[in-house]
Amino acid sequence: MNIDRLLQHQPGSASIPPVDEWQPALSGDINILIKADGSWQHEGQPFARTAIPRLLGSLLRRDNDGYCLVTPVERWRLKVEDLPLVAVEADFHDDAWWFTTQFDDVVRLDDQHPMTLSTTPEGEQVPEIAVRFGLGARLHRNVYYRLVEQATPCVVENGGTQLRLYSAGNAYLLGELAQEIDADDVPSEAP
């Protein structure tokens, strides 16, 4: 994969190429790692130019055999510690939550871009937001805390308490509370 050539033909910053339509054979593995914090490394070192991860992020998708960088003629598999994207901003407007990733993807929390709980490499169940082409985003710590403040606690059948975030007419599970809360202070699950 010739990164300098790709940088010369880079689309506009808001443009994501149709990598879901490209079907080249797997070219092999490339020594790129996306860390759990969303930073990118090549051969164990951070990229010197910030434009490179942004460009490569636009060529990323998740295939059955892993995360891949895809062009019309090449497909290279890379390693991802957790998820490749991080939601760094969250805003509520038009009756929905909107999330922005470190590469300026903007997604509305809705049926097409749901939030689910998934397991981190450390074994924790934390939120993940579907973004594009099988890619998910973890919530940056500041975003997560902001959402916790806006979430609605709800007692469920087993007596536990869930935090739910409402967006675009749906409820999304933000997490479960580990400590006991007085059930009189928390609304019951809707029938």
Side-chain angles (χ1 to χ4, degrees), residues 155-173:
V155 175
V156 293
E157 286 181 20
N158 67 3
T161 303
Q162 294 180 342
L163 289 179
R164 296 183 183 169
L165 192 66
Y166 291 87
S167 181
N170 297 308
Y172 297 94
L173 182 59

Side-chain angles (χ1 to χ4, degrees), residues 102-174:
Q102 80 269 37
F103 297 130
D104 297 326
D105 295 281
V106 177
V107 295
R108 179 179 184 240
L109 182 58
D110 58 19
D111 291 336
Q112 293 183 357
H113 302 99
M115 181 167 52
T116 58
L117 294 184
S118 62
T119 306
T120 67
E122 293 81 26
E124 299 177 49
Q125 288 282 306
V126 295
E128 170 182 346
I129 299 168
V131 179
R132 58 178 157 88
F133 310 133
L135 305 178
R138 284 282 178 236
L139 302 177
H140 186 275
R141 184 177 305 271
N142 294 339
V143 170
Y144 179 75
Y145 288 142
R146 179 167 183 223
L147 297 178
V148 166
E149 291 176 354
Q150 302 300 315
T152 302
C154 188
V155 175
V156 293
E157 286 181 20
N158 67 3
T161 303
Q162 294 180 342
L163 289 179
R164 296 183 183 169
L165 192 66
Y166 291 87
S167 181
N170 297 308
Y172 297 94
L173 182 59
L174 187 60

Side-chain angles (χ1 to χ4, degrees), residues 61-134:
R61 75 177 187 210
R62 185 171 188 173
D63 291 345
N64 290 334
D65 53 356
Y67 290 98
C68 295
L69 297 172
V70 184
T71 71
V73 296
E74 296 177 282
R75 185 168 65 96
W76 294 91
R77 186 173 40 224
L78 55 87
K79 293 182 181 174
V80 178
E81 280 185 347
D82 184 19
L83 294 177
L85 301 172
V86 177
V88 295
E89 294 179 23
D91 294 300
F92 188 83
H93 57 86
D94 301 327
D95 198 35
W97 282 97
W98 296 78
F99 295 91
T100 305
T101 71
Q102 80 269 37
F103 297 130
D104 297 326
D105 295 281
V106 177
V107 295
R108 179 179 184 240
L109 182 58
D110 58 19
D111 291 336
Q112 293 183 357
H113 302 99
M115 181 167 52
T116 58
L117 294 184
S118 62
T119 306
T120 67
E122 293 81 26
E124 299 177 49
Q125 288 282 306
V126 295
E128 170 182 346
I129 299 168
V131 179
R132 58 178 157 88
F133 310 133

Side-chain angles (χ1 to χ4, degrees), residues 30-34 40-43 47 56 69 78-79:
I30 191 167
N31 193 355
I32 293 177
L33 171 67
I34 303 175
W40 290 54
Q41 294 183 348
H42 180 251
E43 297 180 350
F47 281 96
L56 295 178
L69 297 172
L78 55 87
K79 293 182 181 174

